[in-house]
Amino acid sequence: MVQVVTFKVEKREKAGKGAARAVRRLGLVPGVIYGDKQEPVLVQMDPRQLIAALNKPGFYSHQYDLVVEGGETHRVMAQDVQFHVVTDAPLHVDFLRVNKDHAVHAEVQVEFINQNECPGLKKGGTLNVVRHSVEVIARPDDLPEQITVDLAGLDINASVHISNVKLPEGVRPAIADRDFTIATIAAPAGGKSE
């Protein structure tokens, strides 16, 4: 079952830099909802709920219900967040409306399990993560929370490719023309692998 997080947002009337700055002066984050062949909706939201969601894994692969004042609800996925260069505070957020029947592109975090059962790591090798996330294509309800990579049985100089990972049904990698590497077990520095 897909968990949907609910955000309360307010509509805003004006677009542009000046209007966005005015929203930020009120302590809110400006944003926009677009897609699904509907008119864009300008919104503003409390930064605390956005920051809380950003600090959890899978921010860009989760679905959100944006409840606009007046009862209007939009089912969305986060598309982009712009941050302040010094404070890392969110400055603007873009949400894409999703339709359960149309596939979307999303970045899904990679989780590595069974490090204790990995002979390569026990011999002093290092896990070299090539991709911390993988872009996939799937319907919104089929998107996984994370992609799990099992390291059990991998020796030094072994690598994990996307073909070695079992993706959920209905989920496919966005890069389809090659078998890309997700991680490798590198030999220990200063020594030779056996």
Side-chain angles (χ1 to χ4, degrees):
M1 179 73 185
V2 175
Q3 287 187 335
V4 179
V5 179
T6 301
F7 288 151
K8 290 187 189 304
V9 297
E10 302 168 8
K11 261 189 181 172
R12 61 187 175 105
E13 300 302 319
K14 295 181 181 177
K17 284 185 181 179
R21 285 188 186 120
V23 169
R24 287 187 206 105
R25 278 194 295 271
L26 295 172
L28 302 172
V29 178
V32 64
I33 303 168
Y34 61 88
D36 202 24
K37 300 178 182 172
Q38 297 178 34
E39 285 294 314
V41 177
L42 300 173
V43 295
Q44 57 194 26
M45 65 187 302
D46 185 340
R48 292 174 295 190
Q49 59 185 347
L50 181 60
I51 291 168
L54 280 164
N55 288 329
K56 293 179 183 169
F59 175 73
Y60 291 101
S61 60
H62 282 138
Q63 294 181 53
Y64 303 95
D65 276 341
L66 298 187
V67 179
V68 182
E69 58 190 349
E72 184 181 0
T73 302
H74 299 273
R75 176 69 53 96
V76 299
M77 291 178 67
Q79 202 63 21
D80 186 36
V81 180
Q82 296 164 3
F83 296 96
H84 190 279
V85 294
V86 176
T87 64
D88 280 338
L91 295 177
H92 191 274
V93 60
D94 292 355
F95 291 106
L96 175 69
R97 279 187 201 94
V98 294
N99 183 326
K100 65 178 181 156
D101 298 324
H102 294 98
V104 294
H105 287 250
E107 290 280 331
V108 178
Q109 297 295 318
V110 177
E111 179 196 26
F112 297 94
I113 60 169
N114 293 329
Q115 287 93 332
N116 296 336
E117 299 171 27
C118 178
L121 294 178
K122 285 183 179 179
K123 292 176 185 175
T126 305
L127 176 63
N128 179 25
V129 179
V130 178
R131 293 181 182 265
H132 292 277
S133 63
V134 174
E135 186 177 358
V136 297
I137 302 171
R139 290 191 178 126
D141 290 344
D142 294 337
L143 282 171
E145 182 85 17
Q146 60 198 11
I147 294 172
T148 304
V149 174
D150 191 354
L151 299 176
L154 294 179
D155 213 338
I156 291 178
N157 296 327
S159 59
V160 178
H161 298 276
I162 191 64
S163 62
N164 304 120
V165 177
K166 181 165 177 23
L167 295 174
E169 191 173 329
V171 178
R172 59 187 166 88
I175 300 172
D177 60 342
R178 65 185 185 279
D179 190 18
F180 58 88
T181 304
I182 296 175
T184 61
I185 306 294
K192 293 182 180 177
S193 62
E194 296 177 15

